[in-house]
């Protein structure tokens, strides 16, 4: 997920510092989450909002391709 967030940041011309400010967090905290690629669903929604994006989380059955 970190890679997708970074791509969105590039497209929005937003630095890590800019994103951290929008999220009212320190750049160090955001950087740590990027390194661990560890985000809660609520955090992803907040990040998407800060990037003016929509996030879609879905499950797909591997054997059938069925989306749940």
């Amino acid at each position: 997920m970190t890679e997708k967030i970074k791509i969105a940041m590039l497209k929005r011309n937003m630095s890590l510092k800019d994103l951290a400010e929008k999220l009212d967090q320190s750049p160090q905290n955001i950087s740590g989450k990027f390194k661990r690629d560890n985000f809660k669903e609520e955090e992803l929604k907040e990040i998407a909002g800060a990037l003016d994006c929509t996030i879609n989380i879905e499950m797909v059955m591997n054997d059938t391709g069925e989306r749940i």
Side-chain angles (χ1 to χ4, degrees), residues 2 28-39:
T2 295
Q28 294 83 1
N29 186 46
I30 300 296
S31 179
K33 288 180 184 290
F34 280 8
K35 287 178 186 172
R36 292 185 302 275
D37 199 24
N38 182 21
F39 300 94

PDB file of all heavy atoms in Angstrom, residues 2 28-39:
ATOM      1  N   THR A   2       2.018   1.160   0.643  1.00  0.00           N
ATOM      2  CA  THR A   2       2.922   2.312   0.688  1.00  0.00           C
ATOM      3  C   THR A   2       3.255   2.808  -0.712  1.00  0.00           C
ATOM      4  O   THR A   2       3.259   4.016  -0.962  1.00  0.00           O
ATOM      5  CB  THR A   2       4.218   1.960   1.451  1.00  0.00           C
ATOM      6  OG1 THR A   2       3.872   1.684   2.813  1.00  0.00           O
ATOM      7  CG2 THR A   2       5.215   3.096   1.412  1.00  0.00           C
ATOM      8  N   GLN A  28       8.095  11.780  10.835  1.00  0.00           N
ATOM      9  CA  GLN A  28       8.761  10.563  11.310  1.00  0.00           C
ATOM     10  C   GLN A  28       7.747   9.433  11.496  1.00  0.00           C
ATOM     11  O   GLN A  28       8.032   8.280  11.167  1.00  0.00           O
ATOM     12  CB  GLN A  28       9.497  10.821  12.628  1.00  0.00           C
ATOM     13  CG  GLN A  28      10.661  11.778  12.516  1.00  0.00           C
ATOM     14  CD  GLN A  28      10.243  13.251  12.559  1.00  0.00           C
ATOM     15  OE1 GLN A  28       9.075  13.594  12.701  1.00  0.00           O
ATOM     16  NE2 GLN A  28      11.217  14.138  12.408  1.00  0.00           N
ATOM     17  N   ASN A  29       6.578   9.754  12.011  1.00  0.00           N
ATOM     18  CA  ASN A  29       5.547   8.744  12.214  1.00  0.00           C
ATOM     19  C   ASN A  29       5.071   8.180  10.874  1.00  0.00           C
ATOM     20  O   ASN A  29       4.946   6.959  10.713  1.00  0.00           O
ATOM     21  CB  ASN A  29       4.369   9.342  12.996  1.00  0.00           C
ATOM     22  CG  ASN A  29       3.332   8.316  13.353  1.00  0.00           C
ATOM     23  OD1 ASN A  29       3.657   7.237  13.820  1.00  0.00           O
ATOM     24  ND2 ASN A  29       2.080   8.650  13.146  1.00  0.00           N
ATOM     25  N   ILE A  30       4.820   9.065   9.929  1.00  0.00           N
ATOM     26  CA  ILE A  30       4.375   8.613   8.603  1.00  0.00           C
ATOM     27  C   ILE A  30       5.472   7.789   7.935  1.00  0.00           C
ATOM     28  O   ILE A  30       5.210   6.738   7.349  1.00  0.00           O
ATOM     29  CB  ILE A  30       3.985   9.818   7.712  1.00  0.00           C
ATOM     30  CG1 ILE A  30       2.845  10.621   8.338  1.00  0.00           C
ATOM     31  CG2 ILE A  30       3.606   9.364   6.309  1.00  0.00           C
ATOM     32  CD1 ILE A  30       1.546   9.873   8.478  1.00  0.00           C
ATOM     33  N   SER A  31       6.697   8.246   8.042  1.00  0.00           N
ATOM     34  CA  SER A  31       7.819   7.525   7.449  1.00  0.00           C
ATOM     35  C   SER A  31       7.934   6.119   8.033  1.00  0.00           C
ATOM     36  O   SER A  31       8.176   5.151   7.298  1.00  0.00           O
ATOM     37  CB  SER A  31       9.118   8.298   7.680  1.00  0.00           C
ATOM     38  OG  SER A  31      10.207   7.617   7.138  1.00  0.00           O
ATOM     39  N   GLY A  32       7.741   5.985   9.331  1.00  0.00           N
ATOM     40  CA  GLY A  32       7.791   4.674   9.975  1.00  0.00           C
ATOM     41  C   GLY A  32       6.711   3.750   9.449  1.00  0.00           C
ATOM     42  O   GLY A  32       6.951   2.563   9.209  1.00  0.00           O
ATOM     43  N   LYS A  33       5.522   4.297   9.260  1.00  0.00           N
ATOM     44  CA  LYS A  33       4.429   3.493   8.712  1.00  0.00           C
ATOM     45  C   LYS A  33       4.755   3.058   7.283  1.00  0.00           C
ATOM     46  O   LYS A  33       4.455   1.938   6.881  1.00  0.00           O
ATOM     47  CB  LYS A  33       3.118   4.263   8.749  1.00  0.00           C
ATOM     48  CG  LYS A  33       2.562   4.428  10.151  1.00  0.00           C
ATOM     49  CD  LYS A  33       1.277   5.203  10.123  1.00  0.00           C
ATOM     50  CE  LYS A  33       0.764   5.460  11.517  1.00  0.00           C
ATOM     51  NZ  LYS A  33       0.274   4.269  12.190  1.00  0.00           N
ATOM     52  N   PHE A  34       5.372   3.949   6.519  1.00  0.00           N
ATOM     53  CA  PHE A  34       5.781   3.599   5.159  1.00  0.00           C
ATOM     54  C   PHE A  34       6.790   2.455   5.187  1.00  0.00           C
ATOM     55  O   PHE A  34       6.699   1.516   4.405  1.00  0.00           O
ATOM     56  CB  PHE A  34       6.389   4.800   4.446  1.00  0.00           C
ATOM     57  CG  PHE A  34       5.386   5.775   3.885  1.00  0.00           C
ATOM     58  CD1 PHE A  34       4.032   5.675   4.138  1.00  0.00           C
ATOM     59  CD2 PHE A  34       5.818   6.828   3.104  1.00  0.00           C
ATOM     60  CE1 PHE A  34       3.125   6.584   3.615  1.00  0.00           C
ATOM     61  CE2 PHE A  34       4.923   7.743   2.567  1.00  0.00           C
ATOM     62  CZ  PHE A  34       3.577   7.621   2.828  1.00  0.00           C
ATOM     63  N   LYS A  35       7.765   2.539   6.081  1.00  0.00           N
ATOM     64  CA  LYS A  35       8.802   1.507   6.155  1.00  0.00           C
ATOM     65  C   LYS A  35       8.225   0.155   6.530  1.00  0.00           C
ATOM     66  O   LYS A  35       8.647  -0.877   6.017  1.00  0.00           O
ATOM     67  CB  LYS A  35       9.886   1.913   7.153  1.00  0.00           C
ATOM     68  CG  LYS A  35      10.781   3.014   6.646  1.00  0.00           C
ATOM     69  CD  LYS A  35      11.808   3.409   7.673  1.00  0.00           C
ATOM     70  CE  LYS A  35      12.598   4.621   7.178  1.00  0.00           C
ATOM     71  NZ  LYS A  35      13.478   5.151   8.201  1.00  0.00           N
ATOM     72  N   ARG A  36       7.268   0.165   7.453  1.00  0.00           N
ATOM     73  CA  ARG A  36       6.644  -1.088   7.888  1.00  0.00           C
ATOM     74  C   ARG A  36       5.515  -1.516   6.957  1.00  0.00           C
ATOM     75  O   ARG A  36       5.066  -2.657   7.015  1.00  0.00           O
ATOM     76  CB  ARG A  36       6.087  -0.931   9.308  1.00  0.00           C
ATOM     77  CG  ARG A  36       7.148  -0.773  10.374  1.00  0.00           C
ATOM     78  CD  ARG A  36       6.556  -0.736  11.770  1.00  0.00           C
ATOM     79  NE  ARG A  36       5.570   0.325  11.970  1.00  0.00           N
ATOM     80  CZ  ARG A  36       5.837   1.580  12.307  1.00  0.00           C
ATOM     81  NH1 ARG A  36       7.089   1.954  12.455  1.00  0.00           N
ATOM     82  NH2 ARG A  36       4.877   2.461  12.486  1.00  0.00           N
ATOM     83  N   ASP A  37       5.063  -0.593   6.108  1.00  0.00           N
ATOM     84  CA  ASP A  37       3.899  -0.820   5.238  1.00  0.00           C
ATOM     85  C   ASP A  37       2.747  -1.359   6.088  1.00  0.00           C
ATOM     86  O   ASP A  37       2.126  -2.370   5.782  1.00  0.00           O
ATOM     87  CB  ASP A  37       4.232  -1.775   4.101  1.00  0.00           C
ATOM     88  CG  ASP A  37       3.223  -1.677   2.947  1.00  0.00           C
ATOM     89  OD1 ASP A  37       2.579  -0.619   2.807  1.00  0.00           O
ATOM     90  OD2 ASP A  37       3.070  -2.659   2.214  1.00  0.00           O
ATOM     91  N   ASN A  38       2.511  -0.635   7.184  1.00  0.00           N
ATOM     92  CA  ASN A  38       1.562  -1.080   8.195  1.00  0.00           C
ATOM     93  C   ASN A  38       0.536   0.022   8.446  1.00  0.00           C
ATOM     94  O   ASN A  38       0.835   1.006   9.112  1.00  0.00           O
ATOM     95  CB  ASN A  38       2.326  -1.409   9.480  1.00  0.00           C
ATOM     96  CG  ASN A  38       1.435  -1.918  10.576  1.00  0.00           C
ATOM     97  OD1 ASN A  38       0.346  -2.391  10.319  1.00  0.00           O
ATOM     98  ND2 ASN A  38       1.897  -1.810  11.798  1.00  0.00           N
ATOM     99  N   PHE A  39      -0.656  -0.156   7.890  1.00  0.00           N
ATOM    100  CA  PHE A  39      -1.697   0.851   8.020  1.00  0.00           C
ATOM    101  C   PHE A  39      -2.992   0.200   8.470  1.00  0.00           C
ATOM    102  O   PHE A  39      -3.348  -0.870   7.990  1.00  0.00           O
ATOM    103  CB  PHE A  39      -1.959   1.548   6.678  1.00  0.00           C
ATOM    104  CG  PHE A  39      -0.765   2.240   6.114  1.00  0.00           C
ATOM    105  CD1 PHE A  39       0.056   1.588   5.202  1.00  0.00           C
ATOM    106  CD2 PHE A  39      -0.449   3.529   6.481  1.00  0.00           C
ATOM    107  CE1 PHE A  39       1.161   2.221   4.673  1.00  0.00           C
ATOM    108  CE2 PHE A  39       0.648   4.170   5.956  1.00  0.00           C
ATOM    109  CZ  PHE A  39       1.460   3.516   5.049  1.00  0.00           C
TER     110      PHE A  39
END
